[in-house]
Amino acid sequence: MTSPVELSVRVNGASHQRSVEPRLLLSDFLRHELNLTGTHVGCEHGVCGACTILMDGEAVRSCLIFAVQADGHELTTVEGLAAGDDALHPLQTAFREAHGLQCGFCTPGFLMTLIPFLRDNPTPSDREIREGISGNLCRCTGYQNIVQAVRLAAERMAPEATP
Amino acid sequence: MKPAPFEYHRPGTTDEAVTLLAEHGWEAKLLAGGQSLIPAMNFRLAQPGVLIDLNNVEELAYIRDGDVGLHIGAMTRQRSAERSELVAARAPLVHEALPFVAHPQIRSRGTIGGSIAHADPASELPAVTLALEARFRLRSPRGARSVSADEFFTGLFGTALESDELLAEIEIPPPADGAGWGFAEISRRHGDYGLAGLAAAVQLDGDGKCSKARLALLSVGDGPVLATSAAETLLGAEPSEEAIRAAANAAAHRDIDPPSDIHASAAYRRRLVEVLTRRVLPRAFDRARGVDLKPITHEA
Ligand SMILES: Cc1cc2nc3c(=O)[nH]c(=O)nc-3n(C[C@H](O)[C@H](O)[C@H](O)COP(=O)(O)OP(=O)(O)OC[C@H]3O[C@@H](n4cnc5c(N)ncnc54)[C@H](O)[C@@H]3O)c2cc1C
Ligand code: FES
Ligand code: FES
C-alpha cells in the first residue's frame, strides 16, 4: 500500500477526489494538487505555523498531517475565508487596517489560527491574544500590530456572533 | 516529498491495529496525532516501513469517569482533554498542565496516548501521570495488561511497550481527601518544551501533616524523574516555609543529575528546579487545605 490511496475531501465547500501517495503531506496536497497556494510552508516540522488550516473547524498544522488522513474531512484554507473575490473577511480587513502584516508570508497561518480562537473567545484580553498566537512565527511585524489587529477584529466581530 | 515511502494501514478497531502491529513488528509504527512522529519523518530521522494510523479507531477516543478514577482513551486529543470538565474536576493536575503542551494547533491533533508513549523527557504528561500514580492499559494480540507509571517509563524515550503492544487507556486515580496539586514549568517561549518543570501531587492528613508527596520533574533526566529525597523531607512534617525550602534544595541537589545542552546548563536547571519547587509546593498544599486557586499561568 505504498501505492496511491483514494482520497475524498471537502475544501472550502468544494469536493475533491484524488488518488495520492500516502506520504504526501496535506500542505503539499493543498498547494500542488489543488493549487491552493495561500497555505504557506515554512519549517515543515510544526514550529512556524505558516501552514495552519482548519480541519473540521479546528486549527491544525497541515505539514503534520498526511493528505490521506484528510479523507472524509472538511477543510478550510485562507482562500475560503472571504465571501467573494472582491470581499475580505473582517479579520483580514482588521489585519490590513492595523498593519498586521508586512511581507505577508505568515499571515494565512495567523488568520486560520485566529478564526477558531475568536470563535471560542470573542472578547480576548491582550494576554490571551498573545497566548493564542504563540504558535505562529512572524519575522517582520514584531507582533504588536498583529495583536492590535486581533483586538480590532474582535471589537468588530463581537456583536454578531461568530464567523 | 519529505518523508520516505511507507506502507499505509488504516484499521477501524483496536484488535485490527494490534494484529497489524504484531504482523509487522518493529518495522511498523503507530500513527496517533503525528505531532512528534511526522516531524521526525519529515526530517527522515524516522523512516518506518509501515504506518498503522489509529485515527479511525474511534473506540480509543473517550473520557469516562469510573470507580477507580478517570479513564482516558489513548486517542483522546490533548485539546479535548484540555476542554473537558470531567478532566478539570477529576484530574485537575492534568487540566492545569495541558496548556503547557505545545500550541493549540498542535494540541488539536496531538493525543494523550501519543504523548505518553513517546515519553519525551521534556514532555509534561509523562511527569504528570507519574506524579498522579496513573496506570496504563496496554493491548496486544496476546491480551491486555496494566502497568503503573513507575514501571512504564524506562529511560530516554523508553517505555514498557513491547513491539506488538499499543497503549490503549490511561487510568488516573481520583483526588483523595486532603489532596493538593500543582504544575509549573519554565520555557524560553510559551509553548516550547520546558527547560525544567514540576508536577506535584501531595496530601495532608487530619493534623495538617504531609502524608504523601510525589514530585515529578521534567527535562532534567532521561525521562520524568521522581524527586524522592525531596518527598522524604516533606513526609510526616507540616509543610512550613522551611520544610518547603529543604525539599526544594533536596530536589535540586540530590534528586537529579540534569543534562547541559544548548537550551540550558545543568547548574541553571538545578536552579530552576529549586525555584519551581518553591513556587509549586505552597500552592499544592494550599489546595490540600481546600483553598481554591487559579492555575499558575504560563511563565515566560
Ligand atoms: C512545535 C512542537 C512543539 C511541541 N511542544 C511540546 C511540548 O511542549 N510538550 C509536549 O509534551 N509535547 C510537545 N510536542 C509534541 C506533541 O505534544 C505530540 O503531540 C506528542 O508528543 C505525541 O503525540 P501524538 O499523538 O502526536 O503522537 P505521534 O506523533 O503520532 O506518535 C509519537 C510516538 O508514539 C507512538 N504512539 C502513539 N500513540 C501510541 C499508542 N496509543 N500506543 C503505542 N504507541 C503509540 C508512535 O508510534 C510514535 O512513536 C510538540 C510538538 C511540536 C510539533
Ligand atoms: S510549515 Fe507547518 S508549522 Fe511550519
Ligand atoms: S509579515 Fe512577514 S513574516 Fe509575518
Side-chain angles (χ1 to χ4, degrees):
Chain A
M1 265 225 290
T2 52
S3 46
V5 176
E6 294 300 316
L7 154 67
S8 161
V9 64
R10 278 177 73 79
V11 185
N12 303 329
S15 297
H16 301 273
Q17 271 83 35
R18 290 286 194 287
S19 178
V20 301
E21 247 195 278
R23 62 174 169 149
L24 180 68
L25 296 173
L26 183 54
S27 44
D28 287 339
F29 173 78
L30 292 169
R31 293 175 55 84
H32 303 308
E33 283 286 327
L34 302 187
N35 295 321
L36 292 170
T37 51
T39 298
H40 291 169
V41 163
C43 66
E44 297 190 284
H45 61 273
V47 173
C48 74
C51 68
T52 304
I53 61 163
L54 303 187
M55 186 162 174
D56 304 323
E58 297 293 339
V60 295
R61 308 287 210 218
S62 62
C63 74
L64 297 187
I65 297 177
F66 293 112
V68 290
Q69 297 187 284
D71 183 47
H73 292 274
E74 181 89 37
L75 308 181
T76 310
T77 66
V78 69
E79 289 91 344
L81 278 189
D85 278 351
D86 299 323
L88 285 180
H89 187 279
L91 184 59
Q92 292 171 310
T93 309
F95 263 68
R96 189 175 67 182
E97 289 178 15
H99 303 286
L101 64 150
Q102 287 179 30
C103 79
F105 188 83
C106 67
T107 313
F110 273 93
L111 296 172
M112 302 318 284
T113 297
L114 286 162
I115 294 288
F117 173 78
L118 287 173
R119 174 197 67 205
D120 296 344
N121 183 0
T123 54
S125 67
D126 276 9
R127 188 189 176 90
E128 287 166 337
I129 295 173
R130 283 174 202 281
E131 231 167 79
I133 60 172
S134 66
N136 294 74
L137 299 181
C138 174
R139 301 294 280 173
C140 303
T141 63
Y143 302 100
Q144 304 300 332
N145 290 347
I146 295 181
V147 174
Q148 283 190 20
V150 182
R151 221 184 289 139
L152 187 63
E155 277 163 24
R156 290 183 183 163
M157 287 159 64
E160 37 164 298
T162 46
Chain B
M1 277 180 247
K2 296 212 102 183
F6 53 82
E7 199 181 296
Y8 179 68
H9 295 275
R10 192 160 35 192
T13 65
T14 312
D15 282 339
E16 278 172 56
V18 292
T19 305
L20 282 163
L21 198 52
E23 204 174 295
H24 297 284
W26 291 118
E27 208 205 339
K29 277 258 175 219
L30 295 170
L31 175 62
Q35 304 300 289
S36 293
L37 184 53
I38 300 181
M41 290 176 69
N42 283 353
F43 282 126
R44 299 210 177 185
L45 291 170
Q47 302 193 13
V50 178
L51 267 198
I52 304 167
D53 187 348
L54 296 178
N55 285 277
N56 283 15
V57 185
E58 278 166 25
E59 62 186 1
L60 283 175
Y62 56 86
I63 303 173
R64 274 198 295 265
D65 206 2
D67 299 338
V68 289
L70 202 61
H71 303 266
I72 304 180
M75 283 303 291
T76 304
R77 307 284 171 195
Q78 294 155 1
R79 196 94 170 115
S80 325
E82 179 185 353
R83 289 172 172 163
S84 155
E85 283 172 21
L86 205 51
V87 171
R90 303 285 283 165
L93 181 59
V94 176
H95 178 76
E96 181 156 307
L98 274 170
F100 290 90
V101 178
H103 310 290
Q105 301 103 317
I106 290 173
R107 294 197 295 275
S108 53
R109 197 76 193 150
T111 65
I112 300 286
S115 176
I116 290 165
H118 192 54
D120 190 313
S123 261
E124 290 79 8
L125 291 177
V128 165
T129 48
L130 185 61
L132 290 173
E133 298 177 275
R135 295 194 68 85
F136 305 128
R137 208 178 143 70
L138 314 184
R139 280 283 315 274
S140 75
R142 295 171 287 128
R145 63 180 178 132
S146 165
V147 177
S148 70
D150 291 272
E151 301 161 305
F152 185 80
F153 298 107
T154 57
L156 199 57
F157 296 96
T159 69
L161 284 165
E162 302 281 349
S163 69
D164 63 349
E165 270 182 324
L166 168 153
L167 169 59
E169 183 182 90
I170 295 92
E171 210 180 271
I172 297 170
D177 284 344
W181 68 92
F183 182 88
E185 75 174 32
I186 296 190
S187 56
R188 289 216 181 277
R189 289 167 310 185
H190 171 59
D192 280 6
Y193 283 105
L195 301 173
L198 168 63
V202 300
Q203 199 174 349
L204 290 177
D205 64 18
D207 302 326
K209 299 226 164 76
C210 176
S211 55
K212 189 173 206 170
R214 286 189 54 107
L215 314 184
L217 295 159
L218 58 93
S219 258
V220 296
D222 283 350
V225 178
L226 260 194
T228 46
S229 58
E232 267 164 40
T233 66
L234 293 166
L235 285 177
E238 247 171 67
S240 61
E241 215 181 300
E242 204 183 345
I244 287 173
R245 213 176 306 123
N249 192 46
H253 298 287
R254 270 189 276 151
D255 285 320
I256 55 172
D257 183 14
S260 281
D261 55 31
I262 52 164
H263 306 294
S265 68
Y268 183 52
R269 283 199 160 91
R270 285 190 200 279
R271 175 79 187 127
L272 293 181
V273 165
E274 193 174 337
V275 168
L276 285 168
T277 311
R278 279 161 56 178
R279 267 184 210 170
V280 170
L281 284 183
R283 303 178 63 84
F285 285 116
D286 272 351
R287 282 169 164 157
R289 292 181 201 104
V291 182
D292 189 23
L293 292 167
K294 285 212 158 47
I296 305 180
T297 43
H298 316 102
E299 241 93 25

